[in-house]
Amino acid sequence: MLNRRNFLTAAVGVVAASGLAACAKEDDSSTGTSTSGGKKITLGFSQVGSESGWRSANTDSVKAAAKEAGYTLKFSDAQQKQENQISALRSYIAQKVDVIAFSPVVVTGWDAILKEAKAAKIPVVLTDRSVESDESLFVTLVGSDFTDEGRRAAKILEKVLETAGHKGKVKIAQLEGTTGAAPAIERAKGFKEIMDAEHKDDWEIVVTQTGDFTRAGGKQVMAAFLQSDPDINVLYAHNDDMGLGAIQAIEAAGKKPGKDILIVTVDGVKDGFIAMSEGKINAIVECNPLLGPQLMEVVQKVKDGETVERWIKTEESDFMQDQAKDALPTRKY
Ligand code: AHR
């Protein structure tokens, strides 16, 4: 995965990236799909699935931006399965697309297919999620800093506890994203980093389990949490959808979300903001899904043989409950 250390090795990566781009360009003339001949760029994009509101907004953004850029987009939905993504990538290689972009469902297991893309001289751009792989096998990552989102979630929880006038032990239930996915690993890591450094004595994660980034998963796992640990007073959900599912379980258990159980989620989709404006979510750490325009810019640069940064990060904000009503009308997703 990309971290601060390997971000500093950008120069090496950029050389690799431009090498890939240059190779792909040569190949384009024979495929007849490059802009060099005034023809459209063909982009093969493999999406994780349609597990959340964030994901739908991300898909819409990629499709709209590809149209706007005038690219031919080959799109596939992997339904949260790595084997489907690998098949999609292999099919894009066989079709000799100009650039492959994908949002990897999990961080491991990509080396072989990425080597196939490299051997076919097709540059690969990661969007949204990173991989644990040889960094010379992909050009760049366009997406968020998930570890920092985890840190931001812990810092905003401090504010939430203060605003609620909370006294005593903080017993946290954590709803994790898909097991092995970069946002699940890194959002947990960033949160724990702040918790261990600043709240060792008063905060404890009493239960933690995956809800697979889905509303149904969040509801089911939260119901089980409440049975096993009725003293939970905080929920940290790795995305809004799991938080929204958990709210249903909390209400079904006769408790008030946002009061009896303080809730911090990540994403900032409209439904999350609606729940926050109703007082059911206390704070949201934004993770911006509107990556399409940045992705298309990168694809163009790669095809033009320009250098790109190793990690193109997304700008994001944090929101407390009292900002929800004002922010809601201008939310774009
Ligand atoms: O990779 C981004 C995460 O994936 C979003 O936070 C979540 O909602 C989605 O499913």
Side-chain angles (χ1 to χ4, degrees):
M1 275 179 283
L2 290 170
N3 56 33
R4 274 180 211 285
R5 182 178 54 77
N6 45 34
F7 186 59
L8 293 174
T9 62
V12 179
V14 163
V15 172
S18 42
L20 275 168
C23 294
K25 235 181 183 172
E26 279 165 26
D27 199 39
D28 287 339
S29 51
S30 61
T31 63
T33 54
S34 129
T35 47
S36 54
K39 289 182 183 149
K40 277 187 178 184
I41 288 176
T42 299
L43 171 66
F45 184 87
S46 168
Q47 181 60 286
V48 169
S50 47
E51 72 282 2
S52 62
W54 189 100
R55 190 62 56 197
S56 309
N58 180 249
T59 293
D60 291 350
S61 170
V62 169
K63 287 184 175 172
K67 197 171 174 195
E68 171 78 27
Y71 301 164
T72 300
L73 178 70
K74 292 180 183 288
F75 180 92
S76 60
D77 175 338
Q79 298 174 329
Q80 295 248 65
K81 291 197 177 78
Q82 184 174 34
E83 61 267 32
N84 291 347
Q85 283 201 299
I86 291 175
S87 301
L89 265 45
R90 192 159 284 135
S91 132
Y92 295 149
I93 294 169
Q95 293 173 62
K96 296 185 167 61
V97 300
D98 295 300
V99 178
I100 290 175
F102 78 115
S103 173
V105 61
V106 289
V107 292
T108 54
W110 300 105
D111 278 15
I113 190 70
L114 292 179
K115 281 180 186 159
E116 285 176 39
K118 189 174 186 177
K121 300 183 173 60
I122 300 176
V124 174
V125 174
L126 302 180
T127 73
D128 165 34
R129 299 181 181 179
S130 187
V131 295
E132 279 170 13
S133 204
D134 173 352
E135 288 192 13
S136 73
L137 297 176
F138 59 92
V139 179
T140 184
L141 165 68
V142 180
S144 304
D145 184 337
F146 297 135
T147 308
D148 201 49
E149 287 174 356
R151 292 187 197 109
R152 284 159 50 204
K155 293 311 281 179
I156 209 158
L157 176 57
E158 292 172 355
K159 279 199 204 168
V160 165
L161 292 164
E162 194 188 321
T163 309
H166 181 90
K167 301 269 176 291
K169 291 271 182 208
V170 177
K171 297 189 169 191
I172 304 165
Q174 177 174 237
L175 277 169
E176 300 165 29
T178 303
T179 305
I185 298 167
E186 295 167 17
R187 285 173 189 164
K189 182 176 153 216
F191 187 90
K192 191 168 181 308
E193 191 183 298
I194 300 294
M195 192 176 89
D196 290 351
E198 298 173 27
H199 302 285
K200 223 177 169 60
D201 298 332
D202 49 337
W203 291 16
E204 187 191 352
I205 296 181
V206 290
V207 273
T208 181
Q209 200 179 306
T210 180
D212 212 14
F213 279 132
T214 66
R215 228 173 257 217
K219 183 177 179 183
Q220 193 190 333
V221 176
M222 190 69 200
F225 282 169
L226 290 167
Q227 292 241 318
S228 67
D229 244 294
D231 294 342
I232 291 163
N233 47 31
V234 164
L235 168 66
Y236 167 39
H238 288 186
N239 79 345
D240 289 341
D241 280 83
M242 292 190 294
L244 293 165
I247 286 170
Q248 294 174 23
I250 292 166
E251 286 174 336
K255 295 189 185 231
K256 284 205 168 77
K259 295 221 160 45
D260 300 329
I261 298 184
L262 303 171
I263 301 178
V264 173
T265 63
V266 184
D267 275 357
V269 296
K270 265 202 183 117
D271 284 355
F273 267 81
I274 291 170
M276 191 155 71
S277 68
E278 290 167 354
K280 296 181 180 185
I281 290 180
N282 301 82
I284 294 180
V285 170
E286 186 183 44
C287 176
N288 190 346
L290 307 179
L291 304 178
Q294 274 174 307
L295 171 61
M296 301 315 147
E297 253 178 58
V298 167
V299 167
Q300 189 65 57
K301 282 188 178 168
V302 168
K303 286 307 297 170
D304 292 347
E306 287 179 35
T307 56
V308 289
E309 284 176 33
R310 289 292 299 159
W311 187 359
I312 298 158
K313 286 196 202 179
T314 323
E315 282 185 21
E316 290 157 351
S317 315
D318 302 327
F319 297 88
M320 290 287 286
Q321 204 175 68
D322 59 1
Q323 297 167 278
K325 279 201 177 97
D326 286 346
L328 191 52
T330 55
R331 293 306 292 166
K332 291 201 178 74
Y333 56 92

